[in-house]
Amino acid sequence: MRSPRKMLVAAAALTAVAAGLLTAPAAVAGEPAPAVAEKYVALGDSYATAPGTREYDNPDDECRRGPLTYSRLYAAENPSMNFVEASCSGATATELLATQVPQLTADTTKVSVQAGGNDVGFVEVLKNCILTLDDADCLAGVEAAKAAATNALPAALDQTYAGIKSAAPNAKVVVVGYPRLYTIGGDCGILGLSDTERAALNSAADTLATVISGRAEAAGFSYIDPRAAFDPHTLCSGGTEWVTSLEWDKLNESYHPNPAGHREGYLPAVRAALG
């Protein structure tokens, strides 16, 4: 006959086994850990939002966001991913740091950022070249913008990129560049800018690419250079254009990626860079 002490020990052991069977283990060796939902945050200016697409969530919203931009298309391809659209038309790198970067969080896994064109006044340069009849006046404005890109923009980008790294330290960050606008010597009809002005504007895009890619590399971010993809589809190319031409009825639609530019130009590059 078993002693009362042995019977108590056996009962306790059975109770422990039963509890172990009823309680699910936290993890099983060799099994992958549960997937953590990815979070993608899009930062940027009008090239990252909807000007040029003519499709807006709310035409009266000054940020001018819409459904046909590369960030929206990328998010739609990844419906399980949390998506935050912080991009806002007109933003400079400094404004992006103040108003968009705070929307990043420590659990952010992917970031795209496109800024710099507004810092050098590129929109005003374009307007000046459109409205002036003097090539020299247009070229002077372009050179001033290039000087701003070389001298002032690097510090602004460095501060913005540092803010992104601090707010989202574990995120994969891709910096998105700007395309050239014109095919030189192409067929633009009897109206529009001269080839001299077009070449100058293209050179401004090249200067921006040099500066932005350099600061992205210094920050440890990837850089998307869209120029080669867009070049066969620029204004006056004679083919399918990926940027909008001058639109007198809506100047703010002019010289931005159109739906094809976002879908065929930017989206494949963003997809490849972010995974």
Side-chain angles (χ1 to χ4, degrees):
M1 182 174 179
R2 295 183 180 179
S3 69
R5 176 180 175 81
K6 288 182 177 180
M7 291 177 69
L8 288 172
V9 171
L14 287 171
T15 301
V17 171
L21 291 172
L22 293 173
T23 304
V28 177
E31 288 188 0
V36 177
E38 293 206 90
K39 180 179 179 181
Y40 166 44
V41 181
L43 312 173
D45 55 22
S46 60
Y47 263 65
T49 53
T53 70
R54 290 186 177 269
E55 293 287 338
Y56 299 98
D57 300 330
N58 177 2
D60 297 322
D61 179 8
E62 64 180 10
C63 285
R64 308 186 73 210
R65 302 180 182 124
L68 303 181
T69 60
Y70 63 80
S71 62
R72 288 280 190 94
L73 297 174
Y74 178 70
E77 292 181 347
N78 299 274
S80 64
M81 182 174 60
N82 295 325
F83 173 53
V84 177
E85 185 174 23
S87 304
C88 188
S89 181
T92 63
T94 301
E95 291 167 347
L96 187 149
L97 176 61
T99 62
Q100 298 182 29
V101 169
Q103 298 184 57
L104 297 171
T105 51
D107 63 342
T108 301
T109 56
K110 299 181 179 183
V111 177
S112 60
V113 54
Q114 187 168 22
N118 290 321
D119 294 75
V120 302
F122 199 58
V123 171
E124 294 306 313
V125 170
L126 276 167
K127 287 181 180 179
N128 179 58
C129 288
I130 292 166
L131 298 175
T132 184
L133 298 177
D134 185 358
D135 280 6
D137 191 27
C138 171
L139 268 57
V142 171
E143 289 305 312
K146 289 165 66 175
T150 301
N151 300 323
L153 182 57
L157 292 177
D158 286 347
Q159 290 179 339
T160 299
Y161 296 164
I164 293 171
K165 291 176 74 173
S166 176
N170 300 312
K172 179 185 290 186
V173 181
V174 297
V175 176
V176 185
Y178 300 91
R180 300 183 185 99
L181 293 175
Y182 284 102
T183 296
I184 306 304
D187 182 11
C188 288
I190 61 173
L191 300 176
L193 304 180
S194 68
D195 266 352
T196 300
E197 292 172 312
R198 295 168 191 155
L201 290 170
N202 281 357
S203 74
D206 292 337
T207 298
L208 277 175
T210 298
V211 172
I212 296 173
S213 64
R215 302 331 302 157
E217 181 180 3
F221 297 160
S222 300
Y223 177 69
I224 292 175
D225 187 347
R227 290 175 296 172
F230 271 78
D231 277 350
H233 304 281
T234 52
L235 300 175
C236 313
S237 64
T240 302
E241 295 177 350
W242 286 357
V243 291
T244 55
S245 184
L246 172 63
E247 300 185 17
W248 289 107
D249 60 328
K250 288 190 175 182
L251 281 175
N252 56 13
E253 298 285 343
S254 303
Y255 301 109
H256 284 85
N258 60 23
H262 281 279
R263 183 182 64 251
E264 306 297 335
Y266 277 123
L267 177 60
V270 170
R271 184 193 297 125
L274 287 178

